[in-house]
Amino acid sequence: AEQLIENSMHACQAACGDKKWFFEVDLSPIFAAVITEIARSHRQAVPDGQIQRRVSELFEEKVDDMFLLKTLWDVIEPIFEDAGVRSKVYNALSKTYQVALDATLIDRMHLPELQRVEAFVSLWMEESMGRAWASIAGSEQILTEKGIISLFQNLIRPFGDDVRFSCIPGVLMTEIGPPPRNWHFVLQATKELLRQWQTGGSRGSRPAKRRKVTHEVSLHQRYDEEDQEEEEGPQVGRQEGTEEDQEEE
């Protein structure tokens, strides 16, 4: 079932991925009907509803993943002019996303949600921008402080503060929701990353799945309070790539 959905959705995206309705259509009943017929043809008994439930889960996960990757590209495109640079930044972000999430889930889930989000953003920024820096010629002129800040601000709120969707995994922030686009922590993390690059230092941290935000409580108030506390004192705390990009693997 998983392979059928994977291959079929890639084909559908190639044909219709640019249509506004693509991510709104629920194809899970069709996949469930096909898989049910395949099971029957092999004389396999499946309890009623089991196929539909499992197919719905797999379909939602696949659509979420595809939408995330499309959003990454849409955020990158207006920030970097060169097509090759776009592909390298896209590859860097997409290939380090799960690394940063897994590390946060393993090491930081005992922390308050705000600190989990900070940990994920810091790790994702460090891993992805380090990878991009190493692969882009003249990266010091391209991956500037302004550019990195703009990139991650838009990854946090790609559709603006009025839309709750974020590239930050919802599983990390089921209560507080995503931070606002102008979240002060992004500026702080970017400056720290560039400082590390300049001094040759590294945090060396090595720290599932993005879920939809189910509930938000005092969203902007929580992040605004955190920003204010940081100012007052320290706080504990697609497009596919080119052939050249693929060779990096």
PDB file of all heavy atoms in Angstrom, residues 33-58:
ATOM      1  N   ALA A  33      -9.876   1.499  -2.351  1.00  0.00           N
ATOM      2  CA  ALA A  33     -10.647   0.597  -3.213  1.00  0.00           C
ATOM      3  C   ALA A  33      -9.716  -0.277  -4.055  1.00  0.00           C
ATOM      4  O   ALA A  33      -9.949  -1.488  -4.211  1.00  0.00           O
ATOM      5  CB  ALA A  33     -11.573   1.404  -4.115  1.00  0.00           C
ATOM      6  N   VAL A  34      -8.658   0.333  -4.586  1.00  0.00           N
ATOM      7  CA  VAL A  34      -7.699  -0.429  -5.401  1.00  0.00           C
ATOM      8  C   VAL A  34      -7.015  -1.496  -4.558  1.00  0.00           C
ATOM      9  O   VAL A  34      -6.894  -2.666  -4.972  1.00  0.00           O
ATOM     10  CB  VAL A  34      -6.651   0.514  -6.011  1.00  0.00           C
ATOM     11  CG1 VAL A  34      -5.532  -0.277  -6.673  1.00  0.00           C
ATOM     12  CG2 VAL A  34      -7.310   1.452  -7.024  1.00  0.00           C
ATOM     13  N   ILE A  35      -6.556  -1.124  -3.380  1.00  0.00           N
ATOM     14  CA  ILE A  35      -5.841  -2.074  -2.518  1.00  0.00           C
ATOM     15  C   ILE A  35      -6.777  -3.184  -2.034  1.00  0.00           C
ATOM     16  O   ILE A  35      -6.375  -4.347  -1.913  1.00  0.00           O
ATOM     17  CB  ILE A  35      -5.210  -1.321  -1.332  1.00  0.00           C
ATOM     18  CG1 ILE A  35      -4.111  -0.397  -1.849  1.00  0.00           C
ATOM     19  CG2 ILE A  35      -4.637  -2.285  -0.305  1.00  0.00           C
ATOM     20  CD1 ILE A  35      -3.593   0.593  -0.833  1.00  0.00           C
ATOM     21  N   THR A  36      -8.030  -2.836  -1.782  1.00  0.00           N
ATOM     22  CA  THR A  36      -9.009  -3.853  -1.391  1.00  0.00           C
ATOM     23  C   THR A  36      -9.184  -4.886  -2.494  1.00  0.00           C
ATOM     24  O   THR A  36      -9.227  -6.104  -2.229  1.00  0.00           O
ATOM     25  CB  THR A  36     -10.355  -3.202  -1.058  1.00  0.00           C
ATOM     26  OG1 THR A  36     -10.197  -2.307   0.050  1.00  0.00           O
ATOM     27  CG2 THR A  36     -11.392  -4.254  -0.701  1.00  0.00           C
ATOM     28  N   GLU A  37      -9.282  -4.428  -3.738  1.00  0.00           N
ATOM     29  CA  GLU A  37      -9.440  -5.354  -4.859  1.00  0.00           C
ATOM     30  C   GLU A  37      -8.200  -6.228  -5.035  1.00  0.00           C
ATOM     31  O   GLU A  37      -8.307  -7.419  -5.350  1.00  0.00           O
ATOM     32  CB  GLU A  37      -9.723  -4.570  -6.144  1.00  0.00           C
ATOM     33  CG  GLU A  37     -11.099  -3.948  -6.198  1.00  0.00           C
ATOM     34  CD  GLU A  37     -12.200  -4.988  -6.027  1.00  0.00           C
ATOM     35  OE1 GLU A  37     -12.109  -6.065  -6.664  1.00  0.00           O
ATOM     36  OE2 GLU A  37     -13.127  -4.735  -5.236  1.00  0.00           O
ATOM     37  N   ILE A  38      -7.025  -5.644  -4.820  1.00  0.00           N
ATOM     38  CA  ILE A  38      -5.793  -6.427  -4.917  1.00  0.00           C
ATOM     39  C   ILE A  38      -5.779  -7.518  -3.844  1.00  0.00           C
ATOM     40  O   ILE A  38      -5.419  -8.675  -4.113  1.00  0.00           O
ATOM     41  CB  ILE A  38      -4.557  -5.517  -4.778  1.00  0.00           C
ATOM     42  CG1 ILE A  38      -4.471  -4.563  -5.976  1.00  0.00           C
ATOM     43  CG2 ILE A  38      -3.286  -6.348  -4.657  1.00  0.00           C
ATOM     44  CD1 ILE A  38      -3.367  -3.536  -5.863  1.00  0.00           C
ATOM     45  N   ALA A  39      -6.199  -7.145  -2.625  1.00  0.00           N
ATOM     46  CA  ALA A  39      -6.236  -8.124  -1.539  1.00  0.00           C
ATOM     47  C   ALA A  39      -7.221  -9.251  -1.842  1.00  0.00           C
ATOM     48  O   ALA A  39      -6.928 -10.434  -1.613  1.00  0.00           O
ATOM     49  CB  ALA A  39      -6.613  -7.428  -0.233  1.00  0.00           C
ATOM     50  N   ARG A  40      -8.367  -8.888  -2.388  1.00  0.00           N
ATOM     51  CA  ARG A  40      -9.374  -9.901  -2.718  1.00  0.00           C
ATOM     52  C   ARG A  40      -8.883 -10.831  -3.820  1.00  0.00           C
ATOM     53  O   ARG A  40      -9.130 -12.046  -3.780  1.00  0.00           O
ATOM     54  CB  ARG A  40     -10.669  -9.222  -3.159  1.00  0.00           C
ATOM     55  CG  ARG A  40     -11.443  -8.564  -2.012  1.00  0.00           C
ATOM     56  CD  ARG A  40     -12.646  -7.814  -2.535  1.00  0.00           C
ATOM     57  NE  ARG A  40     -13.408  -7.219  -1.436  1.00  0.00           N
ATOM     58  CZ  ARG A  40     -14.407  -6.348  -1.613  1.00  0.00           C
ATOM     59  NH1 ARG A  40     -14.769  -5.987  -2.848  1.00  0.00           N
ATOM     60  NH2 ARG A  40     -15.047  -5.861  -0.570  1.00  0.00           N
ATOM     61  N   SER A  41      -8.182 -10.265  -4.790  1.00  0.00           N
ATOM     62  CA  SER A  41      -7.683 -11.102  -5.890  1.00  0.00           C
ATOM     63  C   SER A  41      -6.662 -12.118  -5.408  1.00  0.00           C
ATOM     64  O   SER A  41      -6.447 -13.149  -6.050  1.00  0.00           O
ATOM     65  CB  SER A  41      -7.070 -10.221  -6.979  1.00  0.00           C
ATOM     66  OG  SER A  41      -5.869  -9.609  -6.535  1.00  0.00           O
ATOM     67  N   HIS A  42      -6.020 -11.827  -4.283  1.00  0.00           N
ATOM     68  CA  HIS A  42      -5.058 -12.763  -3.689  1.00  0.00           C
ATOM     69  C   HIS A  42      -5.691 -13.567  -2.546  1.00  0.00           C
ATOM     70  O   HIS A  42      -4.981 -14.214  -1.772  1.00  0.00           O
ATOM     71  CB  HIS A  42      -3.839 -12.003  -3.166  1.00  0.00           C
ATOM     72  CG  HIS A  42      -2.957 -11.468  -4.248  1.00  0.00           C
ATOM     73  ND1 HIS A  42      -3.257 -10.309  -4.951  1.00  0.00           N
ATOM     74  CD2 HIS A  42      -1.789 -11.933  -4.773  1.00  0.00           C
ATOM     75  CE1 HIS A  42      -2.296 -10.079  -5.838  1.00  0.00           C
ATOM     76  NE2 HIS A  42      -1.402 -11.050  -5.761  1.00  0.00           N
ATOM     77  N   ARG A  43      -7.031 -13.464  -2.459  1.00  0.00           N
ATOM     78  CA  ARG A  43      -7.793 -14.209  -1.451  1.00  0.00           C
ATOM     79  C   ARG A  43      -7.316 -13.905  -0.024  1.00  0.00           C
ATOM     80  O   ARG A  43      -7.226 -14.786   0.823  1.00  0.00           O
ATOM     81  CB  ARG A  43      -7.711 -15.712  -1.723  1.00  0.00           C
ATOM     82  CG  ARG A  43      -8.242 -16.107  -3.088  1.00  0.00           C
ATOM     83  CD  ARG A  43      -8.182 -17.614  -3.270  1.00  0.00           C
ATOM     84  NE  ARG A  43      -8.615 -17.997  -4.603  1.00  0.00           N
ATOM     85  CZ  ARG A  43      -9.895 -18.152  -4.981  1.00  0.00           C
ATOM     86  NH1 ARG A  43     -10.855 -17.940  -4.082  1.00  0.00           N
ATOM     87  NH2 ARG A  43     -10.207 -18.509  -6.213  1.00  0.00           N
ATOM     88  N   GLN A  44      -7.000 -12.621   0.204  1.00  0.00           N
ATOM     89  CA  GLN A  44      -6.577 -12.193   1.530  1.00  0.00           C
ATOM     90  C   GLN A  44      -7.763 -11.551   2.258  1.00  0.00           C
ATOM     91  O   GLN A  44      -8.411 -10.658   1.723  1.00  0.00           O
ATOM     92  CB  GLN A  44      -5.430 -11.190   1.441  1.00  0.00           C
ATOM     93  CG  GLN A  44      -4.157 -11.774   0.841  1.00  0.00           C
ATOM     94  CD  GLN A  44      -3.054 -10.732   0.719  1.00  0.00           C
ATOM     95  OE1 GLN A  44      -3.263  -9.564   0.998  1.00  0.00           O
ATOM     96  NE2 GLN A  44      -1.871 -11.185   0.316  1.00  0.00           N
ATOM     97  N   ALA A  45      -8.028 -12.028   3.454  1.00  0.00           N
ATOM     98  CA  ALA A  45      -9.134 -11.484   4.245  1.00  0.00           C
ATOM     99  C   ALA A  45      -8.644 -10.288   5.055  1.00  0.00           C
ATOM    100  O   ALA A  45      -7.660 -10.384   5.784  1.00  0.00           O
ATOM    101  CB  ALA A  45      -9.684 -12.546   5.179  1.00  0.00           C
ATOM    102  N   VAL A  46      -9.333  -9.150   4.896  1.00  0.00           N
ATOM    103  CA  VAL A  46      -8.971  -7.932   5.622  1.00  0.00           C
ATOM    104  C   VAL A  46     -10.205  -7.421   6.356  1.00  0.00           C
ATOM    105  O   VAL A  46     -11.265  -7.259   5.747  1.00  0.00           O
ATOM    106  CB  VAL A  46      -8.451  -6.840   4.659  1.00  0.00           C
ATOM    107  CG1 VAL A  46      -8.075  -5.604   5.445  1.00  0.00           C
ATOM    108  CG2 VAL A  46      -7.263  -7.358   3.854  1.00  0.00           C
ATOM    109  N   PRO A  47     -10.114  -7.174   7.655  1.00  0.00           N
ATOM    110  CA  PRO A  47     -11.273  -6.672   8.418  1.00  0.00           C
ATOM    111  C   PRO A  47     -11.828  -5.381   7.815  1.00  0.00           C
ATOM    112  O   PRO A  47     -11.075  -4.548   7.298  1.00  0.00           O
ATOM    113  CB  PRO A  47     -10.694  -6.425   9.823  1.00  0.00           C
ATOM    114  CG  PRO A  47      -9.498  -7.329   9.900  1.00  0.00           C
ATOM    115  CD  PRO A  47      -8.929  -7.379   8.506  1.00  0.00           C
ATOM    116  N   ASP A  48     -13.136  -5.227   7.888  1.00  0.00           N
ATOM    117  CA  ASP A  48     -13.783  -4.034   7.351  1.00  0.00           C
ATOM    118  C   ASP A  48     -13.203  -2.768   7.977  1.00  0.00           C
ATOM    119  O   ASP A  48     -13.064  -2.670   9.196  1.00  0.00           O
ATOM    120  CB  ASP A  48     -15.293  -4.079   7.625  1.00  0.00           C
ATOM    121  CG  ASP A  48     -15.994  -5.166   6.824  1.00  0.00           C
ATOM    122  OD1 ASP A  48     -15.403  -5.621   5.825  1.00  0.00           O
ATOM    123  OD2 ASP A  48     -17.115  -5.558   7.209  1.00  0.00           O
ATOM    124  N   GLY A  49     -12.887  -1.801   7.143  1.00  0.00           N
ATOM    125  CA  GLY A  49     -12.395  -0.513   7.611  1.00  0.00           C
ATOM    126  C   GLY A  49     -10.906  -0.452   7.861  1.00  0.00           C
ATOM    127  O   GLY A  49     -10.344   0.644   7.950  1.00  0.00           O
ATOM    128  N   GLN A  50     -10.246  -1.592   7.970  1.00  0.00           N
ATOM    129  CA  GLN A  50      -8.822  -1.572   8.286  1.00  0.00           C
ATOM    130  C   GLN A  50      -8.006  -0.978   7.146  1.00  0.00           C
ATOM    131  O   GLN A  50      -7.092  -0.183   7.376  1.00  0.00           O
ATOM    132  CB  GLN A  50      -8.330  -2.987   8.587  1.00  0.00           C
ATOM    133  CG  GLN A  50      -6.846  -3.042   8.955  1.00  0.00           C
ATOM    134  CD  GLN A  50      -6.407  -4.437   9.395  1.00  0.00           C
ATOM    135  OE1 GLN A  50      -7.156  -5.138  10.073  1.00  0.00           O
ATOM    136  NE2 GLN A  50      -5.207  -4.834   9.017  1.00  0.00           N
ATOM    137  N   ILE A  51      -8.333  -1.369   5.923  1.00  0.00           N
ATOM    138  CA  ILE A  51      -7.603  -0.840   4.766  1.00  0.00           C
ATOM    139  C   ILE A  51      -7.816   0.661   4.649  1.00  0.00           C
ATOM    140  O   ILE A  51      -6.867   1.422   4.446  1.00  0.00           O
ATOM    141  CB  ILE A  51      -8.034  -1.557   3.476  1.00  0.00           C
ATOM    142  CG1 ILE A  51      -7.492  -2.985   3.461  1.00  0.00           C
ATOM    143  CG2 ILE A  51      -7.532  -0.795   2.243  1.00  0.00           C
ATOM    144  CD1 ILE A  51      -7.863  -3.766   2.226  1.00  0.00           C
ATOM    145  N   GLN A  52      -9.064   1.105   4.782  1.00  0.00           N
ATOM    146  CA  GLN A  52      -9.359   2.541   4.639  1.00  0.00           C
ATOM    147  C   GLN A  52      -8.618   3.358   5.684  1.00  0.00           C
ATOM    148  O   GLN A  52      -8.056   4.416   5.378  1.00  0.00           O
ATOM    149  CB  GLN A  52     -10.862   2.781   4.754  1.00  0.00           C
ATOM    150  CG  GLN A  52     -11.265   4.256   4.637  1.00  0.00           C
ATOM    151  CD  GLN A  52     -10.930   4.862   3.293  1.00  0.00           C
ATOM    152  OE1 GLN A  52     -11.381   4.384   2.252  1.00  0.00           O
ATOM    153  NE2 GLN A  52     -10.111   5.913   3.285  1.00  0.00           N
ATOM    154  N   ARG A  53      -8.590   2.877   6.924  1.00  0.00           N
ATOM    155  CA  ARG A  53      -7.900   3.619   7.979  1.00  0.00           C
ATOM    156  C   ARG A  53      -6.407   3.729   7.699  1.00  0.00           C
ATOM    157  O   ARG A  53      -5.818   4.809   7.835  1.00  0.00           O
ATOM    158  CB  ARG A  53      -8.142   2.949   9.335  1.00  0.00           C
ATOM    159  CG  ARG A  53      -9.544   3.146   9.900  1.00  0.00           C
ATOM    160  CD  ARG A  53      -9.601   2.731  11.352  1.00  0.00           C
ATOM    161  NE  ARG A  53      -9.329   1.292  11.516  1.00  0.00           N
ATOM    162  CZ  ARG A  53     -10.250   0.356  11.459  1.00  0.00           C
ATOM    163  NH1 ARG A  53     -11.517   0.675  11.237  1.00  0.00           N
ATOM    164  NH2 ARG A  53      -9.934  -0.917  11.640  1.00  0.00           N
ATOM    165  N   ARG A  54      -5.810   2.605   7.326  1.00  0.00           N
ATOM    166  CA  ARG A  54      -4.371   2.623   7.078  1.00  0.00           C
ATOM    167  C   ARG A  54      -4.029   3.453   5.853  1.00  0.00           C
ATOM    168  O   ARG A  54      -3.054   4.227   5.856  1.00  0.00           O
ATOM    169  CB  ARG A  54      -3.863   1.186   6.896  1.00  0.00           C
ATOM    170  CG  ARG A  54      -2.358   1.079   6.644  1.00  0.00           C
ATOM    171  CD  ARG A  54      -1.576   1.746   7.738  1.00  0.00           C
ATOM    172  NE  ARG A  54      -0.139   1.644   7.524  1.00  0.00           N
ATOM    173  CZ  ARG A  54       0.748   2.483   8.010  1.00  0.00           C
ATOM    174  NH1 ARG A  54       0.347   3.496   8.782  1.00  0.00           N
ATOM    175  NH2 ARG A  54       2.026   2.326   7.776  1.00  0.00           N
ATOM    176  N   VAL A  55      -4.818   3.330   4.810  1.00  0.00           N
ATOM    177  CA  VAL A  55      -4.577   4.111   3.596  1.00  0.00           C
ATOM    178  C   VAL A  55      -4.741   5.595   3.875  1.00  0.00           C
ATOM    179  O   VAL A  55      -3.955   6.416   3.380  1.00  0.00           O
ATOM    180  CB  VAL A  55      -5.522   3.658   2.464  1.00  0.00           C
ATOM    181  CG1 VAL A  55      -5.500   4.655   1.308  1.00  0.00           C
ATOM    182  CG2 VAL A  55      -5.126   2.279   1.957  1.00  0.00           C
ATOM    183  N   SER A  56      -5.730   5.974   4.669  1.00  0.00           N
ATOM    184  CA  SER A  56      -5.926   7.386   5.005  1.00  0.00           C
ATOM    185  C   SER A  56      -4.713   7.942   5.730  1.00  0.00           C
ATOM    186  O   SER A  56      -4.284   9.074   5.471  1.00  0.00           O
ATOM    187  CB  SER A  56      -7.184   7.551   5.875  1.00  0.00           C
ATOM    188  OG  SER A  56      -8.347   7.215   5.139  1.00  0.00           O
ATOM    189  N   GLU A  57      -4.145   7.158   6.658  1.00  0.00           N
ATOM    190  CA  GLU A  57      -2.954   7.593   7.379  1.00  0.00           C
ATOM    191  C   GLU A  57      -1.776   7.786   6.424  1.00  0.00           C
ATOM    192  O   GLU A  57      -1.076   8.807   6.483  1.00  0.00           O
ATOM    193  CB  GLU A  57      -2.581   6.558   8.446  1.00  0.00           C
ATOM    194  CG  GLU A  57      -3.573   6.476   9.589  1.00  0.00           C
ATOM    195  CD  GLU A  57      -3.243   5.328  10.537  1.00  0.00           C
ATOM    196  OE1 GLU A  57      -2.255   4.596  10.259  1.00  0.00           O
ATOM    197  OE2 GLU A  57      -3.961   5.156  11.536  1.00  0.00           O
ATOM    198  N   LEU A  58      -1.551   6.794   5.569  1.00  0.00           N
ATOM    199  CA  LEU A  58      -0.429   6.871   4.630  1.00  0.00           C
ATOM    200  C   LEU A  58      -0.601   8.027   3.649  1.00  0.00           C
ATOM    201  O   LEU A  58       0.362   8.735   3.326  1.00  0.00           O
ATOM    202  CB  LEU A  58      -0.298   5.555   3.856  1.00  0.00           C
ATOM    203  CG  LEU A  58       0.141   4.331   4.659  1.00  0.00           C
ATOM    204  CD1 LEU A  58       0.021   3.061   3.805  1.00  0.00           C
ATOM    205  CD2 LEU A  58       1.569   4.505   5.149  1.00  0.00           C
TER     206      LEU A  58
END
